């Protein structure tokens, strides 16, 4: 099978490598010529524009987008417009908002598959977990590529109609936020608590048979090993947040309570306050107001 891949960053290069390793042909394009050169070194046919990529693909075109979610997906689809027909298949493997994917599926001339991708750059060796939404025939047609990019045939599944793949991935990320928060709180208590603990050892022993063992916990172990038990100079500012925000918004729309995911998202936003949390500073001053408690002041 021949696959065009647009977007050759951390994730797109893995799609390219794994597809090539499985014996398929890849045509690759990115706005960054260096990324295209890396894909070409791996064995892909380089393209210098979206038009060029399309010209190099055969009659039934299969195209995987791995560009940042949002405007870049719309811009790429605009460039593809006029080059696609109903026998072609476009896969969006990024973290797009599911309602954008429904809209894009309706307006795209090709069959459109929204594909939630989990596993991160670690998926280079293991393969990814892929959650796919869209027409069944298109999913079946792309299955050889999904087999290659995923951990194998069990690493991908069609979730349902357009939007469902990105919907499931959105919720996956909400769960990811909450799990990170839970591990964070536990390790914070161990760090601040009664014993002088080596947190790498704690994570390691938990990863060997404990109820809460997981890949995220293995990543905690790696973090303590590489940064030290107090996490060295790692800042307390957490970036990202879009997929967690969408999950919480959807919980509100469906009237499904998501207190853990909401709290994890709130912690993330709170971590970005430049000057300390305003609400904490006000609470500090209010305790003086009602109780004449001392007000700790900033240096
Ligand atoms: N990094 C991760 O752990 C994961 C990322 N994702 C999603 O996968 C998508 C890609 O993520 P990464 O590879 O991490 O991002 P990245 O920033 O490493 O790579 C994005 C690539 O797309 C290229 N690009 C941007 N606009 C383009 C355009 N209009 N045409 C062609 N190329 C364009 C950039 O030059 C860059 O090489 C995002 O939607 C992200 O949310 C999904 C799962 C995990
Ligand atoms: O999808 C992912 C992992 O599953 C990406 O790493 C994503 O960027 C994580 O979300 P955020 O950037 O909001 O932390």
């Amino acid at each position: 099978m021949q696959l065009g891949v647009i977007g050759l960053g951390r994730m797109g290069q893995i799609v390219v490598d794994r597809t090539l390793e499985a014996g398929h042909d890849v045509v690759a394009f990115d706005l960054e010529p260096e990324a295209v050169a890396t894909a070409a070194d791996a064995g892909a046919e380089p393209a210098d524009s979206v038009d060029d990529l399309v010209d190099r693909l055969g009659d039934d075109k299969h195209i995987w987008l791995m560009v940042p979610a949002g405007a870049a997906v719309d811009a790429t689809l605009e460039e593809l417009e006029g080059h696609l027909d109903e026998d072609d298949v476009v896969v969006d493997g990024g973290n797009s908002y599911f309602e954008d994917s429904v809209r894009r599926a309706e307006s795209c001339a090709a069959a459109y598959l929204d594909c939630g991708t989990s596993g991160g750059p670690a998926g280079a060796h293991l393969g990814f977990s892929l959650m796919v939404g869209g027409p069944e025939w298109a999913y079946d047609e792309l299955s050889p590529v999904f087999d290659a990019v995923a951990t194998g045939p069990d690493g991908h599944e069609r979730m349902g109609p357009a939007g469902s793949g990105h919907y499931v991935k959105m919720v996956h990320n909400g769960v990811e936020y909450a799990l990170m928060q839970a591990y964070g709180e536990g390790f914070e208590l161990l760090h601040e608590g009664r014993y002088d603990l080596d947190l790498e050892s704690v994570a390691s022993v938990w990863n060997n048979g404990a109820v809460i063992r997981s890949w995220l916990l293995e990543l905690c172990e790696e973090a303590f090993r590489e940064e030290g038990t107090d996490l060295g100079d790692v800042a307390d500012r957490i970036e990202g947040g879009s997929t967690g925000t969408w999950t919480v918004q959807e919980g509100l729309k469906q009237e499904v309570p998501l207190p853990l995911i909401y709290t994890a998202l709130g912690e993330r936003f709170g971590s970005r306050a430049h000057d300390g949390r305003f609400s904490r500073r006000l609470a500090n001053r209010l305790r003086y107001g009602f109780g004449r408690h001392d007000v700790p002041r900033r240096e």
Side-chain angles (χ1 to χ4, degrees), residues 11-120:
M11 300 293 284
Q13 289 287 354
I14 298 170
V15 172
V16 168
D17 290 342
R18 292 188 64 86
T19 306
L20 288 169
E21 274 162 29
H24 304 293
D25 296 323
V26 172
V27 183
F29 171 67
D30 193 287
L31 293 177
E32 297 295 331
E34 274 179 25
V36 180
T38 304
D41 286 346
E45 191 178 330
D48 58 22
S49 65
V50 169
D51 278 357
D52 184 30
L53 176 132
V54 168
D55 286 345
R56 290 169 188 274
L57 294 175
D59 274 348
D60 292 345
K61 299 176 187 58
H62 305 131
I63 301 175
W64 187 303
L65 311 183
M66 213 59 190
V67 298
V73 178
D74 284 319
T76 308
L77 289 173
E78 220 165 279
E79 286 191 72
L80 284 168
E81 222 174 85
H83 295 291
L84 300 174
D85 63 40
E86 61 191 12
D87 296 324
D88 302 325
V89 182
V90 173
V91 179
D92 174 11
N95 272 327
S96 294
Y97 183 48
F98 74 96
E99 284 185 359
D100 287 342
S101 300
V102 172
R103 168 180 58 79
R104 289 165 185 151
E106 279 165 4
S107 63
C108 186
Y112 197 80
L113 296 174
D114 51 285
C115 173
T117 304
S118 180

Side-chain angles (χ1 to χ4, degrees), residues 219-244:
L219 297 180
C220 293
E221 189 179 336
E222 175 188 283
F224 294 128
R225 182 168 59 251
E226 293 180 1
E227 306 287 349
T229 211
D230 62 356
L231 290 179
D233 62 358
V234 176
D236 69 351
R237 179 184 169 85
I238 323 168
E239 299 293 350
S242 53
T243 48

